[in-house]
Amino acid sequence: MPYICPICQTPLVNILPAQSYECVNNHRFDIAKEGYINLLPAQHKKSKEPGDSKEMMRARRNFLEAGFYQPLAQAISSIIDQYLADTPKLHILDMGCGEGYYSRQIERLAQHKNLDLHGLDIAKNAILAAAKKQPRAQFIVASSERMPYSNDYFNLLLRIYAPSNNNEIKRLLKTNGYLLTVTPGPRHLWQLKEFIYQDTKEHDTQAPLPEGFSNIAKQKISYTISPDQKQRMALLQMTPFAWRATEQATHAIEQTQDLEIETDFILTLAVKN
Ligand SMILES: C[S@@+](CC[C@H](N)C(=O)[O-])C[C@H]1O[C@@H](n2cnc3c(N)ncnc32)[C@H](O)[C@@H]1O
Ligand SMILES: [Zn+2]
């Protein structure tokens, strides 16, 4: 079983007729009608609705579904095929998966056909949307600070623009398992940032690696996109710098004709020794 109880850390067992998961101490978690499980107990929540809001999730879905980051999804799928082709059953977890775009794309694009896809996010609205769209993957509401999965369960963890906890990453990955991190490269969304900052600076591209991991491959993907006005607004909402944009800057981003925007992604693949 992949899951452990978020309260007492003993294994969670699927109780079939009741459509729920239970541990030996009778902590019980229902499977929602969309198929996801909420494994974030109220006492572990720091706010009523943690994580990205429904509006942010919708903006991200509209933008991603338009295909602007499809080359990134393709690169992730190719890395899976290149490094994990020989693993008979591939257990993959997307940490901070949002509304599940990359998980859907991996199911579609990866050559490997025995995939056990999992996604975790602290935002319930995002997990509900992800589960609805991809019934063959397994989604849970949980924090990446305490991921309620058994030790050594996964072959690959994905960390795509999402917060993470190094101890948890180390605990969940099998020995020789992989951590694939996607971070913004120096020129990522440069033309959007020019509207917002007086003095646009290149991104810091560091992604701290857990102890006991070694980097084995690094790949950079850059290309330009030309989102329309509505898609630009969605993109802006997805970015961590959206809150810095003045009304004037937001208006200018929306009204500019034919804005070409650079994307710049850095993919880092590390292995657990
Ligand atoms: C920038 S978004 C990236 C989403 C997705 N990986 C993507 O690239 O489209 C960050 C995501 O992390 C989630 N998040 C924030 N804090 C979290 C936490 N402590 N545990 C799990 N997810 C978290 C947010 O709800 C949001 O969906
Ligand atoms: Zn329990």
Side-chain angles (χ1 to χ4, degrees):
M1 278 295 172
Y3 304 119
I4 58 169
C5 174
I7 298 162
C8 68
Q9 282 75 48
T10 60
L12 280 180
V13 180
N14 191 193
I15 310 291
L16 263 178
Q19 283 291 303
S20 66
Y21 277 83
E22 267 182 51
C23 72
V24 286
N25 297 316
N26 297 324
H27 299 125
R28 194 179 131 175
F29 305 89
D30 292 337
I31 303 172
K33 71 174 191 307
E34 296 83 4
Y36 72 90
I37 319 165
N38 189 341
L39 292 178
L40 185 67
Q43 62 267 38
H44 293 172
K45 277 189 180 181
K46 291 192 183 119
S47 63
K48 197 162 170 278
E49 287 190 28
D52 283 8
S53 67
K54 203 167 187 170
E55 291 68 40
M56 286 164 88
M57 183 276 290
R58 285 221 182 102
R60 174 169 282 111
R61 171 164 280 179
N62 290 341
F63 181 83
L64 292 173
E65 285 289 335
F68 291 111
Y69 285 2
Q70 215 257 344
L72 172 60
Q74 180 62 63
I76 294 169
S77 304
S78 300
I79 289 173
I80 292 173
D81 287 329
Q82 190 180 344
Y83 289 88
L84 290 149
D86 295 337
T87 310
K89 185 164 188 179
L90 253 188
H91 303 284
I92 300 178
L93 171 64
D94 187 357
M95 305 180 288
C97 64
E99 57 73 50
Y101 174 75
Y102 294 101
S103 180
R104 292 195 293 283
Q105 291 297 311
I106 290 167
E107 184 176 316
R108 202 170 70 82
L109 297 168
Q111 302 288 315
H112 200 301
K113 288 301 165 216
N114 197 0
L115 299 176
D116 173 36
L117 288 164
H118 291 256
L120 158 156
D121 201 284
I122 204 164
K124 188 172 147 191
N125 67 72
I127 287 298
L128 190 153
K132 244 182 170 172
K133 243 196 157 134
Q134 195 182 18
R136 274 194 285 172
Q138 302 187 57
F139 293 96
I140 64 166
V141 182
S143 168
S144 38
E145 285 301 312
R146 307 167 200 230
M147 300 192 279
Y149 299 96
S150 313
N151 294 357
D152 307 318
Y153 187 77
F154 292 102
N155 304 98
L156 171 67
L157 298 182
L158 300 174
R159 169 165 71 164
I160 309 171
Y161 285 77
S164 62
N165 175 303
N166 283 349
N167 291 333
E168 282 292 82
I169 288 176
K170 212 166 159 177
R171 183 179 69 78
L172 260 52
L173 262 187
K174 294 180 195 296
T175 301
N176 299 324
Y178 295 96
L179 168 67
L180 179 57
T181 306
V182 180
T183 47
R187 298 283 304 175
H188 193 54
L189 307 181
W190 186 263
Q191 291 73 12
L192 210 56
K193 286 165 77 183
E194 277 183 328
F195 283 96
I196 295 166
Y197 298 102
Q198 297 288 336
D199 177 19
T200 311
K201 288 203 175 62
E202 295 198 340
H203 271 288
D204 176 8
T205 56
Q206 292 295 311
L209 211 56
E211 210 181 290
F213 280 65
S214 323
N215 276 330
I216 52 166
K218 202 168 179 173
Q219 189 182 341
K220 189 175 155 72
I221 306 172
S222 339
Y223 54 92
T224 58
I225 55 172
S226 305
D228 66 21
Q229 293 180 316
K230 205 167 156 226
Q231 291 162 337
R232 268 180 236 156
M233 288 300 102
L235 176 59
L236 181 63
Q237 258 203 313
M238 281 169 59
T239 68
F241 47 82
W243 65 276
R244 284 179 177 269
T246 59
E247 221 170 282
Q248 205 182 4
T250 308
H251 188 70
I253 292 169
E254 190 172 21
Q255 292 306 314
T256 304
Q257 295 292 318
D258 305 325
L259 183 63
E260 286 207 349
I261 303 172
E262 284 174 74
T263 68
D264 190 8
F265 303 102
I266 296 173
L267 288 75
T268 314
L269 187 67
V271 67
K272 179 178 161 182
N273 302 313

